[in-house]
Coordinates of all heavy atoms in Angstrom, one line a residue:
T17 N 13.5 -2.8 0.1 CA 13.9 -1.9 -0.9 C 13.8 -0.5 -0.5 O 13.2 -0.2 0.7 CB 12.8 -2.1 -2.2 OG1 11.6 -1.4 -1.8 CG2 12.6 -3.5 -2.5
D18 N 14.2 0.4 -1.2 CA 14.2 1.9 -0.9 C 13.2 2.6 -1.8 O 13.2 3.8 -1.9 CB 15.6 2.5 -1.0 CG 16.5 2.0 0.0 OD1 16.1 1.8 1.2 OD2 17.7 1.7 -0.3
L19 N 12.4 1.9 -2.5 CA 11.4 2.5 -3.4 C 10.4 3.3 -2.4 O 10.2 3.0 -1.2 CB 10.6 1.5 -4.1 CG 11.3 0.7 -5.2 CD1 10.4 -0.5 -5.7 CD2 11.8 1.5 -6.3
S20 N 9.8 4.3 -2.9 CA 8.8 5.1 -2.2 C 7.6 4.3 -1.9 O 7.3 3.3 -2.6 CB 8.5 6.3 -2.9 OG 7.6 6.0 -4.1
V21 N 6.8 4.7 -0.9 CA 5.5 4.0 -0.5 C 4.6 4.0 -1.7 O 4.0 2.9 -2.0 CB 4.9 4.6 0.7 CG1 3.5 4.0 0.9 CG2 5.8 4.5 1.9
Q22 N 4.5 5.1 -2.4 CA 3.6 5.2 -3.6 C 4.1 4.2 -4.7 O 3.2 3.5 -5.3 CB 3.6 6.5 -4.1 CG 2.6 6.8 -5.3 CD 1.2 6.7 -4.9 OE1 0.8 7.0 -3.7 NE2 0.3 6.3 -5.8
E23 N 5.3 4.1 -5.0 CA 5.9 3.2 -6.0 C 5.6 1.8 -5.6 O 5.2 0.9 -6.4 CB 7.4 3.4 -6.2 CG 7.7 4.7 -6.9 CD 9.2 4.9 -6.9 OE1 9.9 4.8 -5.9 OE2 9.8 5.1 -8.1
I24 N 5.8 1.4 -4.3 CA 5.6 0.0 -3.9 C 4.1 -0.3 -4.0 O 3.8 -1.4 -4.3 CB 6.1 0.0 -2.4 CG1 7.6 0.0 -2.4 CG2 5.6 -1.4 -1.8 CD1 8.3 0.0 -1.0
M25 N 3.2 0.6 -3.5 CA 1.8 0.3 -3.6 C 1.4 0.0 -5.0 O 0.7 -0.9 -5.3 CB 1.0 1.6 -3.1 CG -0.4 1.4 -3.0 SD -1.3 2.9 -2.5 CE -1.2 3.9 -4.0
E26 N 1.8 0.9 -6.0 CA 1.5 0.7 -7.4 C 2.0 -0.6 -8.0 O 1.4 -1.3 -8.8 CB 1.8 1.9 -8.2 CG 1.0 3.2 -7.8 CD 1.5 4.4 -8.6 OE1 2.5 4.3 -9.3 OE2 0.9 5.5 -8.3
K27 N 3.3 -0.8 -7.6 CA 4.0 -2.0 -8.1 C 3.2 -3.3 -7.7 O 3.3 -4.3 -8.5 CB 5.5 -1.9 -7.5 CG 6.3 -3.3 -7.7 CD 7.6 -3.1 -7.1 CE 8.5 -4.4 -7.2 NZ 8.1 -5.3 -6.1
N28 N 2.6 -3.3 -6.6 CA 1.9 -4.5 -6.1 C 0.4 -4.5 -6.3 O -0.4 -5.2 -5.7 CB 2.2 -4.6 -4.6 CG 3.6 -5.1 -4.3 OD1 4.0 -6.2 -4.7 ND2 4.5 -4.2 -3.9
G29 N -0.1 -3.6 -7.2 CA -1.4 -3.8 -7.7 C -2.5 -2.9 -7.0 O -3.6 -3.0 -7.3
F30 N -2.1 -2.0 -6.0 CA -3.1 -1.2 -5.4 C -3.2 0.1 -6.2 O -2.1 0.8 -6.5 CB -2.6 -0.9 -3.9 CG -3.3 -1.8 -2.9 CD1 -2.5 -2.6 -2.2 CD2 -4.6 -1.7 -2.7 CE1 -3.0 -3.5 -1.2 CE2 -5.2 -2.6 -1.7 CZ -4.3 -3.4 -1.0
T31 N -4.4 0.6 -6.5 CA -4.7 1.9 -7.1 C -5.4 2.8 -6.1 O -5.5 4.0 -6.5 CB -5.5 1.7 -8.3 OG1 -6.7 1.0 -8.0 CG2 -4.7 0.9 -9.4
N32 N -5.9 2.3 -5.0 CA -6.6 3.0 -4.0 C -5.8 3.1 -2.7 O -5.6 2.1 -2.1 CB -8.0 2.4 -3.8 CG -8.9 3.2 -2.9 OD1 -8.3 3.8 -1.8 ND2 -10.2 3.3 -3.2
Q33 N -5.2 4.3 -2.4 CA -4.3 4.4 -1.3 C -5.1 4.2 0.1 O -4.5 3.6 1.0 CB -3.6 5.7 -1.3 CG -2.6 5.8 -0.1 CD -1.7 7.1 -0.2 OE1 -1.9 7.8 -1.1 NE2 -0.8 7.2 0.7
K34 N -6.3 4.7 0.1 CA -7.1 4.5 1.4 C -7.3 3.1 1.7 O -7.2 2.6 2.8 CB -8.5 5.3 1.2 CG -9.3 5.3 2.5 CD -10.5 6.2 2.3 CE -11.4 6.2 3.6 NZ -12.5 7.0 3.5
L35 N -7.8 2.3 0.6 CA -8.0 0.9 0.8 C -6.8 0.1 1.1 O -6.7 -0.7 2.0 CB -8.6 0.3 -0.6 CG -8.8 -1.2 -0.6 CD1 -9.8 -1.6 0.5 CD2 -9.3 -1.6 -2.0
C36 N -5.6 0.5 0.4 CA -4.3 0.0 0.8 C -4.0 0.1 2.3 O -3.6 -0.7 3.0 CB -3.3 0.6 -0.1 SG -1.6 0.0 0.2
N37 N -4.1 1.4 2.8 CA -3.8 1.7 4.1 C -4.7 0.9 5.1 O -4.2 0.4 6.1 CB -3.9 3.2 4.4 CG -2.8 4.0 3.8 OD1 -1.7 3.5 3.5 ND2 -3.1 5.3 3.6
R38 N -5.9 0.8 4.8 CA -6.9 0.1 5.7 C -6.5 -1.4 5.7 O -6.5 -2.0 6.8 CB -8.4 0.3 5.2 CG -9.3 -0.4 6.2 CD -10.7 0.0 5.8 NE -11.2 -0.6 4.6 CZ -11.6 0.1 3.5 NH1 -11.6 1.4 3.5 NH2 -12.0 -0.6 2.5
T39 N -6.3 -2.0 4.5 CA -5.9 -3.5 4.5 C -4.7 -3.7 5.2 O -4.4 -4.7 6.0 CB -5.9 -3.9 3.0 OG1 -7.0 -3.6 2.4 CG2 -5.5 -5.4 2.9
F40 N -3.6 -2.8 4.9 CA -2.3 -3.0 5.6 C -2.4 -2.9 7.1 O -1.7 -3.7 7.8 CB -1.3 -2.0 5.0 CG 0.1 -2.3 5.2 CD1 0.8 -3.0 4.3 CD2 0.8 -1.8 6.3 CE1 2.1 -3.3 4.5 CE2 2.1 -2.1 6.5 CZ 2.8 -2.9 5.6
K41 N -3.2 -1.9 7.5 CA -3.3 -1.8 9.0 C -4.0 -2.9 9.7 O -3.7 -3.3 10.8 CB -4.0 -0.5 9.3 CG -3.9 0.0 10.8 CD -4.5 1.4 10.9 CE -4.2 1.9 12.4 NZ -4.7 3.3 12.5
E42 N -5.0 -3.5 9.0 CA -5.5 -4.7 9.6 C -4.6 -5.9 9.7 O -4.7 -6.6 10.7 CB -6.7 -5.2 8.6 CG -7.9 -4.3 8.6 CD -8.9 -4.7 7.5 OE1 -8.6 -5.6 6.7 OE2 -10.0 -4.1 7.5
L43 N -3.6 -6.0 8.9 CA -2.6 -7.0 9.0 C -1.4 -6.7 9.9 O -0.9 -7.6 10.6 CB -2.1 -7.4 7.6 CG -3.0 -8.1 6.6 CD1 -2.4 -8.3 5.2 CD2 -3.5 -9.4 7.2
Y44 N -1.0 -5.5 9.8 CA 0.3 -5.1 10.5 C 0.2 -4.0 11.6 O 1.2 -3.8 12.2 CB 1.3 -4.7 9.4 CG 1.6 -5.8 8.3 CD1 1.1 -5.7 7.1 CD2 2.4 -6.9 8.7 CE1 1.3 -6.7 6.2 CE2 2.8 -7.8 7.8 CZ 2.1 -7.8 6.5 OH 2.3 -8.8 5.7

């Protein structure tokens, strides 16, 4: 998709960007 990173994060249930980035980096 072309949604913004913030929109995608919120769409998928993340409210904490720091936690999102840390979790995402562990996987990818």
Side-chain angles (χ1 to χ4, degrees):
T17 78
D18 293 320
L19 295 174
S20 70
V21 172
Q22 185 67 28
E23 287 176 309
I24 290 173
M25 182 183 76
E26 294 175 355
K27 171 178 175 281
N28 288 289
F30 265 114
T31 57
N32 184 319
Q33 185 169 3
K34 186 176 180 180
L35 176 60
C36 175
N37 286 342
R38 184 171 72 242
T39 304
F40 197 88
K41 195 169 184 179
E42 288 173 354
L43 290 177
Y44 298 104

